[in-house]
Amino acid sequence: MIIRLLGQGQFDVSEETVAALNELDAALQAAVDRGDELAFRQALGEMLVLVQERGHRLPDDYLGPSDLVLPPADATVEEVRALLGEEGLIPG
């Protein structure tokens, strides 16, 4: 699965990593629902690090589409709330 980290490029991640991201996504969504800034920052930061550490960064000239887009680390709770669907940032 190709995931774009806004401002950082695209990463190819395994299904195993997507499963781990889904767990963090649930924590992120719960934090947004509660308006818990600290838990929100922690979950979003862990998601971004997980993609960077486990994913394979694609070349900057790669022009393929992204399956998912994750917000930057400095995104606000309100910005992420606007992006969340019924299944969070990561469907599944």
Side-chain angles (χ1 to χ4, degrees), residues 22-85:
N22 264 319
E23 292 179 23
L24 291 169
D25 190 36
L28 180 97
Q29 184 156 13
V32 169
D33 290 346
R34 293 189 313 269
D36 184 338
E37 180 78 22
L38 183 61
F40 164 76
R41 291 269 158 239
Q42 182 174 357
L44 180 57
E46 289 179 12
M47 291 175 79
L48 298 174
V49 168
L50 188 63
V51 171
Q52 293 167 333
E53 289 184 351
R54 291 193 190 174
H56 171 74
R57 192 176 193 291
L58 297 173
D60 289 338
D61 60 354
Y62 175 77
L63 298 176
S66 300
D67 299 301
L68 296 171
V69 178
L70 293 181
D74 62 350
T76 66
V77 170
E78 290 75 25
E79 290 170 332
V80 172
R81 181 177 287 128
L83 297 173
L84 289 172

